[in-house]
Amino acid sequence: MRCEYFVWTDRTRLPSISDVITQLKESGYACRVQSRGEAPNAAHWTALEVEAETERGREVCTITVAHPSAEEIEELRQTYESLPLQVKKAARKFRIEAEADEYGQPTDFHLKVIAALARLTHGVVDDPQENGLMLLEEFEEYMS
């Protein structure tokens, strides 16, 4: 079973692949990151595969990026009383997907990848399964 989270940001600049690696290394995971379909150091990547060896074995998270549509933002506006600026003026929407654990929950590695991306983009985490929109501080509290 796959779990997916989203990170919404009003930043137009993508984090570099080396920034993603560095951020995850600081979180305790030595990772390999591959850009799918482009040159390895592409400044304008659209999909990344982040891989690490964890206590569960080899884990892979896939990050894809897109420009959110006005309809997607309007849908969120109708769902929530107020939207954070990162969502109201969203320039990018990252989808972070990985295999769930045996209970259908995200793994620690998956959560660290989400947090790293939110930190790098100053983004808001969207958990469509349960918790809705969370600022980074709320998401880190949720992780612990």
Side-chain angles (χ1 to χ4, degrees), residues 2-70:
R2 308 244 340 137
C3 268
E4 68 179 8
Y5 283 75
F6 300 95
V7 172
W8 295 79
T9 184
D10 57 347
R11 302 272 168 109
T12 56
R13 186 180 149 290
L14 291 173
S16 72
I17 295 171
S18 62
D19 286 345
V20 172
I21 292 169
T22 301
Q23 189 71 47
L24 287 168
K25 197 175 282 184
E26 289 173 9
S27 299
Y29 288 102
C31 299
R32 283 182 301 218
V33 178
Q34 292 182 337
S35 179
R36 294 193 316 190
E38 298 112 24
N41 294 317
H44 302 288
W45 54 269
T46 57
L48 296 178
E49 278 194 4
V50 182
E51 180 183 316
E53 287 296 326
T54 69
E55 62 279 348
R56 294 173 37 106
R58 181 180 158 269
E59 290 191 57
V60 177
C61 280
T62 304
I63 303 170
T64 53
V65 62
H67 296 283
S69 69

Side-chain angles (χ1 to χ4, degrees), residues 54-103:
T54 69
E55 62 279 348
R56 294 173 37 106
R58 181 180 158 269
E59 290 191 57
V60 177
C61 280
T62 304
I63 303 170
T64 53
V65 62
H67 296 283
S69 69
E71 292 82 22
E72 288 176 292
I73 296 169
E74 186 55 37
E75 188 177 310
L76 284 175
R77 191 168 284 159
Q78 292 174 11
T79 305
Y80 297 100
E81 255 178 55
S82 64
L83 293 178
L85 182 66
Q86 294 93 323
V87 179
K88 280 184 199 173
K89 299 192 179 282
R92 304 260 192 231
K93 176 183 173 186
F94 297 89
R95 177 180 176 195
I96 305 99
E97 189 178 22
E99 285 297 321
D101 67 10
E102 57 274 8
Y103 304 107

